[in-house]
Amino acid sequence: MVFAVEEINHSATLLPGVKLGYHIRDSCGLPPWAMQAALSLVGGDSASEQTVSLIIGGSSSKTAQILSRILGPLTVPLMSYTASCPCLSDRLQYPNFFRTMPSDIYQARAIAQLSIRFNWTWIGAVVAKNDYGLVAIKVFQEETQGAGVCLAFVETLQRENIVSDARRAALTIQASTAKVILIFTWYTDVRELFLQLAKINVTDRQFLASEAWSTSGDLLQDPVTSKVARGVLGVAIRSSAIPGFENYIRSLNPSGRPDDKFLKKFWEKMFGGTESLDGVQNHFTDISQLRVTYNVYLAVYAAAHALHSLLSCPARESSPGSNNSSCSSPKDIKPIELLQHLNNVNFTTPQGELFYFQGADIPAKYDLVNWQNTPDGSLKLVLIGRVDGFDLHLNESAIQWSTGSNQVPISVCSESCPPGSRKANRKGEPLCCFDCIQCAEGEISNTIDSLHCELCPHEFWSNAERTACIPRQLDFLSFNETLGITLTTAAVSGAAVTTAVFVVFLYYRQTPMVRANNSELSFLLLLSLKLCFLCSLVFIGRPSVWSCRFQQAAFGISFVLCVSCLQIKTIVVLAAFRSARPGAGALIRWFGPGQQRGSVCLFSFIQVFICIVWLLFSPPVPQVNLDIPGIKVTLECAMASVVGFSLVLGYIGLLACTSLFLAFLARKLPDNFNEAKLITFSMLIFCAVWIAFVPAYVSSPGKYAVAVEIFAILASSYGLLFCIFAPKCFIILLRPEKNTRKHLMVR
């Protein structure tokens, strides 16, 4: 302050012809003492002492608030060089307050920007339990809201209980998963906190420092600090060189200023009577980091420029002898006038920096500093960037982190969710704590930390990683796959066995076993069974327009032909035994071979008619079924008319039930080889298979519905073949002695 005053007094352009004076009072860091000193300065300790028109002081925010309220009614400007509470920006409450120290809002915002920039989403906070700490953490939260940054904890420190509070905060830091810790408090509180952390061996945290301790020499030189707090990243009061200040400091000597009582007292306390400062290295002579010093320097220059503006009277300059009431005399400075000129002050500092007030504040500027290890194991302060208002300029490559490397520490509650998954918040926990849920099939996410999974279009499906939609693969029951080969083998085998039975019956066609109950119907039944086996092959392979039409028609007609033969056979059995009764002989004569063939043709023609109408008006068509989930999309024969398919199945079911009913009636007729028993058992199997088919078909997806239908065709065909013809072939081939009319007729 004294250097700035003397520099201004020697200036030829700033306040020419006017000399600045000053009074110095020591508040001892106590608001009551500061208040007493301020009142003595503005009121005068004696009648002979001149009062001051401006006070530079109020180093703490609390003191500044008290002094501003006291000096406000007197309109005496108060200019602080370290008070940083945002509350002091309120011009309604503190109209006479100015400061060369930025509001804490800006350093809190700067630290918030650092957190966002380095993707630290899980941060612990230790703050002073006063406006300095609590307001800063509030601003930090407001600035990071919506950016995905959460506070793992907020611990408060009170100077009255610093040991217990620091111990509690240290244990919280140890227990937390947060690796980055924000500290907004005084350096003496930080020293106690680091001591407690060292006791429990917590040495792997990355600390973010506020300006109150980021440049503390006491902490940097403390061995405990070098163990706990390597790589500290902090916001600091901006530093600037003051030309000529070092020479001024080293030239100071009480002998050269015998009237300067302040210098004499300070000299005795600081240097113990040393006459020269040449070669002396201590905090007093170190001007490498002029921070608060530069703020004081700016405060003096701001006051001087306001005085210069106040005393610069155009009328006086044009006519020195004139008396203009609007011009102030240097000996009669009114505080309210000085206050008005302070509001409008605008000048360039000797360092070339533009200076002006925005209300009570100056444009916010900070340094960004980093604590780095030196070869001897101590810590040094390194400038790594600057803050200019809301803009942050940072040299990331120059940072040395707490790990001792250039690798940015990671501090997250939950690791980022990779593409192919989505975030699911944990109940009762902050938004930064979440689980990663893999996207369901058919959904994707292709960004990190996606909140939702997106559905793929119908023609696409998600890949295995759920990161992209890929075209769905066309799928159908083919001859090349295992299921297709199995069903084809079963169908061909069934046709071959049927053919073998046909040959056996043809070879033994003159035997009673073959001739019994209309051998012509037996051969027709075998032919229809062979068609049933072979029609199942039409269902296998890539569906086409003609295959879709032919497969259902072939299936419906083949089975109606088969069941019609069984029904006529059953009727013949019933007619043969009924004709044995008196007066019933005409029955069997009326229902002879011609009528039997005609009945089979009639029953079959009805099914043919149903199929023709169905296929003409609403035939099945090949269609891609996109409703079934999965990477494979089924190409199937879609039933354009469910009514047509239901009529085909219903007609087969009607004939089958009729045959079963008639066979059931004929099961106890007297005969050693009653074919009605075989038909009854075969129709039971037939009906059971097709009753089970309906729910299985409806519930089977894609090509498996086709496989179910083929299985039903083969199962019912095998049932009919073995139940009806296996006993006959057994007698024909293995028990020929029973293949006689006598044996067949005798019970």
Side-chain angles (χ1 to χ4, degrees):
M1 186 202 72
V2 175
F3 169 77
V5 169
E6 293 187 5
E7 189 177 58
I8 292 167
N9 287 339
H10 288 90
S11 173
T13 56
L14 183 60
L15 290 174
V18 177
K19 298 296 182 182
L20 292 178
Y22 55 84
H23 292 286
I24 296 177
R25 297 287 189 271
D26 187 1
S27 68
C28 295
L30 299 174
W33 287 37
M35 181 174 62
Q36 182 180 357
L39 290 175
S40 68
L41 289 172
V42 297
D45 286 336
S46 64
S48 62
E49 186 174 342
Q50 186 177 357
T51 60
V52 298
S53 301
L54 178 142
I55 293 178
I56 297 176
S59 57
S60 71
S61 295
K62 183 178 181 181
T63 302
Q65 292 177 61
I66 294 173
L67 293 183
S68 181
R69 291 183 185 277
I70 291 174
L71 299 174
L74 304 174
T75 64
V76 175
L78 172 68
M79 195 178 307
S80 175
Y81 46 88
T82 50
S84 58
C85 179
C87 59
L88 290 167
S89 299
D90 187 349
R91 301 307 278 167
L92 294 177
Q93 293 192 58
Y94 309 103
N96 62 325
F97 178 77
F98 299 87
R99 57 183 167 191
T100 55
M101 173 78 174
S103 166
D104 285 332
I105 288 178
Y106 293 94
Q107 70 163 324
R109 284 176 172 170
I111 293 176
Q113 289 180 36
L114 287 173
S115 303
I116 296 170
R117 181 169 184 155
F118 294 116
N119 295 317
W120 294 327
T121 59
W122 191 234
I123 295 178
V126 180
V127 300
K129 195 174 184 179
N130 54 29
D131 286 347
Y132 177 73
L134 299 178
V135 170
I137 201 63
K138 180 183 178 183
V139 173
F140 177 86
Q141 288 180 290
E142 291 173 351
E143 190 70 15
T144 56
Q145 188 175 13
V149 179
C150 303
L151 288 177
F153 61 85
V154 177
E155 287 289 338
T156 58
L157 303 179
Q158 264 186 310
R159 196 160 300 173
E160 296 80 4
N161 308 310
I162 185 59
V163 175
S164 59
D165 285 357
R167 185 183 301 115
R168 185 192 68 248
L171 292 174
T172 302
I173 293 172
Q174 182 186 41
S176 175
T177 56
K179 297 299 181 183
V180 175
I181 310 298
L182 167 61
I183 303 180
F184 257 97
T185 189
W186 190 241
Y187 78 93
T188 53
D189 301 340
V190 177
R191 181 169 54 197
E192 183 61 35
L193 176 63
F194 285 170
L195 179 63
Q196 296 297 330
L197 288 171
K199 289 180 180 179
I200 57 178
N201 198 31
V202 177
T203 60
D204 61 343
R205 299 301 192 268
Q206 175 67 48
F207 292 100
L208 300 179
S210 67
E211 45 74 33
W213 66 278
S214 61
T215 58
S216 170
D218 291 345
L219 288 175
L220 283 166
Q221 295 172 9
D222 193 330
V224 173
T225 302
S226 61
K227 177 183 177 183
V228 173
R230 294 174 297 177
V232 169
L233 187 63
V235 175
I237 299 172
R238 53 86 179 268
S239 62
S240 181
I242 302 178
F245 188 48
E246 183 176 14
N247 293 333
Y248 173 80
I249 289 290
R250 293 192 178 278
S251 67
L252 283 177
N253 197 298
S255 60
R257 296 170 179 248
D259 297 331
D260 195 332
K261 296 180 182 179
F262 170 76
L263 181 60
K264 182 179 180 181
K265 188 176 181 181
F266 171 78
W267 207 265
E268 290 175 354
K269 183 177 180 181
M270 192 72 183
F271 305 110
T274 303
E275 292 297 321
S276 174
L277 296 183
D278 289 338
V280 176
Q281 294 293 334
N282 57 19
H283 290 309
F284 184 69
T285 59
D286 181 11
I287 63 165
S288 61
Q289 301 284 340
L290 299 180
R291 300 184 186 280
V292 175
T293 306
Y294 185 60
N295 283 358
V296 174
Y297 181 79
L298 288 178
V300 175
Y301 263 89
H305 276 275
L307 280 168
H308 183 88
S309 175
L310 175 62
L311 298 175
S312 296
C313 181
R316 179 187 295 151
E317 292 174 0
S318 60
S319 178
S322 64
N323 183 15
N324 194 327
S325 60
S326 63
C327 300
S328 297
S329 167
K331 294 183 179 181
D332 186 23
I333 301 295
K334 297 178 180 179
I336 190 171
E337 294 177 342
L338 183 60
L339 178 62
Q340 293 169 352
H341 284 269
L342 269 174
N343 281 315
N344 300 317
V345 75
N346 192 319
F347 65 94
T348 301
T349 67
Q351 289 75 22
E353 178 184 347
L354 184 64
F355 184 96
Y356 57 92
F357 285 111
Q358 297 171 319
D361 301 315
I362 60 171
K365 294 183 179 180
Y366 291 98
D367 288 344
L368 294 174
V369 295
N370 182 218
W371 294 11
Q372 299 186 1
N373 290 333
T374 59
D376 62 0
S378 61
L379 294 172
K380 66 176 180 178
L381 198 66
V382 178
L383 180 68
I384 57 167
R386 295 188 182 276
V387 177
D388 189 357
F390 295 122
D391 297 328
L392 189 146
H393 308 281
L394 181 65
N395 181 11
E396 293 185 26
S397 61
I399 302 175
Q400 185 183 96
W401 300 103
S402 57
T403 56
S405 67
N406 293 330
Q407 186 66 37
V408 179
I410 297 174
S411 186
V412 295
C413 180
S414 301
E415 294 291 337
S416 293
C417 292
S421 63
R422 64 175 177 84
K423 293 167 62 174
N425 294 328
R426 298 173 185 167
K427 188 176 181 180
E429 295 189 33
L431 293 177
C432 302
C433 301
F434 50 82
D435 295 316
C436 296
I437 308 297
Q438 187 181 32
C439 292
E441 289 188 353
E443 298 180 352
I444 65 159
S445 68
N446 51 18
T447 59
I448 296 176
D449 287 336
S450 177
L451 296 176
H452 306 285
C453 296
E454 298 180 1
L455 276 172
C456 289
H458 282 303
E459 299 81 8
F460 294 84
W461 197 252
S462 57
N463 59 1
E465 294 79 21
R466 312 284 202 274
T467 56
C469 292
I470 56 177
R472 298 174 76 172
Q473 302 171 9
L474 203 60
D475 189 33
F476 53 86
L477 184 61
S478 69
F479 289 101
N480 299 324
E481 60 182 297
T482 303
L483 182 58
I485 293 172
T486 302
L487 294 174
T488 300
T489 302
V492 173
S493 299
V497 172
T498 305
T499 302
V501 173
F502 187 91
V503 171
V504 169
F505 268 54
L506 185 64
Y507 184 79
Y508 293 97
R509 63 184 178 278
Q510 299 300 329
T511 63
M513 181 61 70
V514 177
R515 296 183 64 184
N517 197 4
N518 196 338
S519 59
E520 186 178 339
L521 286 179
S522 296
F523 285 113
L524 188 58
L525 177 59
L526 286 170
L527 178 62
S528 64
L529 282 174
K530 186 173 182 178
L531 292 176
C532 289
F533 281 115
L534 294 177
C535 79
S536 63
L537 298 177
V538 185
F539 290 83
I540 305 175
R542 186 187 181 100
S544 64
V545 174
W546 289 105
S547 67
C548 287
R549 295 185 179 187
F550 180 69
Q551 61 185 212
Q552 298 298 343
F555 155 69
I557 295 171
S558 298
F559 268 92
V560 164
L561 180 61
C562 178
V563 177
S564 298
C565 291
L566 291 177
Q567 185 168 348
I568 298 304
K569 275 179 153 300
T570 307
I571 294 174
V572 170
V573 171
L574 283 172
F577 283 96
R578 296 290 181 184
S579 64
R581 297 180 181 180
L587 180 61
I588 192 62
R589 289 192 299 271
W590 178 83
F591 199 69
Q595 287 78 9
Q596 294 172 21
R597 287 191 295 270
S599 299
V600 171
C601 292
L602 176 63
F603 291 149
S604 301
F605 175 77
I606 295 174
Q607 184 73 309
V608 171
F609 177 77
I610 293 174
C611 290
I612 290 174
V613 174
W614 176 29
L615 297 180
L616 282 177
F617 291 98
S618 186
V621 290
Q623 181 177 305
V624 176
N625 187 355
L626 298 174
D627 295 331
I628 300 174
I631 185 61
K632 293 184 178 181
V633 58
T634 304
L635 179 62
E636 61 186 15
C637 293
M639 298 297 175
S641 172
V642 179
V643 176
F645 185 59
S646 301
L647 286 175
V648 169
L649 286 181
Y651 185 63
I652 295 173
L654 176 63
L655 292 179
C657 291
T658 304
S659 298
L660 176 60
F661 177 71
L662 294 175
F664 183 77
L665 293 178
R667 74 189 187 284
K668 293 185 178 180
L669 294 177
D671 197 335
N672 210 17
F673 191 85
N674 186 356
E675 195 175 20
K677 295 179 181 178
L678 304 179
I679 295 174
T680 302
F681 192 62
S682 65
M683 294 313 298
L684 282 173
I685 295 176
F686 184 90
C687 292
V689 168
W690 286 102
I691 290 173
F693 159 77
V694 175
Y697 181 83
V698 171
S699 61
S700 298
K703 65 182 181 181
Y704 296 104
V706 179
V708 167
E709 187 170 358
I710 295 173
F711 178 80
I713 292 172
L714 295 177
S716 56
S717 299
Y718 271 110
L720 294 174
L721 177 64
F722 284 110
C723 289
I724 294 175
F725 292 99
K728 294 183 178 182
C729 289
F730 178 79
I731 293 175
I732 292 172
L733 298 175
L734 301 179
R735 294 289 188 269
E737 68 277 6
K738 294 184 178 180
N739 190 5
T740 62
R741 182 178 178 84
K742 179 181 178 182
H743 183 268
L744 293 177
M745 296 298 294
V746 178
R747 189 170 181 176

